């Protein structure tokens, strides 16, 4: 089984590596100033395409990256959640981003819970972090529901130089105790 065949199902979601047909949702997400407010703001379609291909490339090179989140009932693309571990990153991250229509329904927590389970079980990570800007209260709520706490505050390096974020996270042992 290759990375293209990885599929995680939750009660309401299918998590799978991005496919070409997901790009329309990806581009619409990046065109939305409110949805992208905490991740550098909106991007043009060509820049959204580069970001999309970066995620697919990480799957190909590293064997893991963001999953597309698909609503089981409607088949709609809702956003992404997944592991992110490029060189120079502040730690092994599980992040999430959803289209505005999916906000407030618990999808981010549902998806991120499945991803954290997956990275600890499949990738063997010892710790997971979530980078959250100090004014992103909804994502702080997701991090709390995951059982994470603020570990430190950092100033990001390229490509987000100068942006200050809180590093939320927890150890594998803490996660497993909480899930037992």
């Amino acid at each position: 089984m290759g990375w293209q065949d990885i599929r995680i199902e939750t009660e309401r979601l299918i998590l799978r590596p991005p496919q070409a047909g997901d790009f329309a949702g990806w581009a619409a997400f990046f065109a939305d100033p409110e949805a992208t407010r905490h991740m550098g703001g909106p991007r043009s379609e060509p820049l959204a395409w580069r970001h999309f291909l970066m995620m697919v490339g990480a799957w190909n090179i590293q064997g893991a990256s963001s999953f597309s989140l698909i609503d089981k009932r409607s088949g709609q693309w809702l956003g992404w959640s997944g592991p992110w571990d490029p060189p120079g990153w502040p730690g092994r991250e599980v992040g999430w981003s959803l289209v505005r229509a999916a906000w407030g329904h618990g999808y981010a927590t549902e998806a991120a819970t499945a991803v954290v389970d997956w990275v600890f079980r499949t990738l063997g990570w010892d710790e997971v972090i979530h980078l959250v800007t100090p004014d992103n209260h909804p994502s702080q709520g997701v991090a709390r529901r995951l059982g994470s706490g603020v570990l430190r505050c950092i100033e990001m390096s390229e490509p987000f130089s100068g942006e200050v974020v809180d590093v939320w996270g927890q150890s594998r042992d803490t996660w497993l105790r909480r899930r037992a």
Side-chain angles (χ1 to χ4, degrees):
M1 176 169 95
W3 62 265
Q4 301 94 333
D5 302 314
I6 296 171
R7 181 181 172 111
I8 300 170
E9 291 198 31
T10 67
E11 181 182 338
R12 301 176 297 161
L13 299 170
I14 296 168
L15 287 73
R16 58 158 174 72
Q19 299 173 355
D22 298 339
F23 180 65
W26 205 280
F29 169 84
F30 272 111
D32 183 341
E34 184 61 22
T36 59
R37 183 166 58 104
H38 298 289
M39 50 186 306
R43 297 181 191 154
S44 65
E45 188 170 300
L47 289 178
W49 177 248
R50 285 179 180 89
H51 188 270
F52 181 75
L53 291 184
M54 178 178 66
M55 294 300 165
V56 174
W59 272 107
N60 192 49
I61 300 298
Q62 295 181 303
S65 184
S66 288
F67 293 93
S68 281
L69 308 180
I70 309 299
D71 183 304
K72 278 185 176 179
R73 196 172 38 81
S74 70
Q76 279 206 260
W77 184 89
L78 300 179
W80 69 85
S81 179
W84 190 238
D85 188 24
W89 209 243
R92 292 177 159 172
E93 182 179 19
V94 167
W96 51 85
S97 291
L98 280 78
V99 297
R100 266 200 278 175
W103 292 0
H105 300 284
Y107 292 124
T109 302
E110 185 174 332
T113 298
V115 173
V116 173
D117 278 340
W118 187 79
V119 300
F120 285 145
R121 183 181 67 250
T122 306
L123 302 181
W125 288 6
D126 292 325
E127 180 184 58
V128 67
I129 66 164
H130 324 289
L131 302 178
V132 182
T133 58
D135 62 339
N136 187 345
H137 304 293
S139 281
Q140 292 169 7
V142 172
R144 275 190 205 93
R145 286 188 291 282
L146 293 172
S148 291
V150 176
L151 305 175
R152 60 193 174 278
C153 180
I154 63 167
E155 185 174 317
M156 294 292 290
S157 58
E158 289 184 301
F160 301 102
S161 296
E163 187 169 346
V164 175
V165 297
D166 292 325
V167 179
W168 292 69
Q170 64 185 296
S171 70
R172 173 193 184 106
D173 291 340
T174 300
W175 176 260
L176 293 176
R177 274 194 308 276
R178 207 177 134 269
R179 297 283 286 158

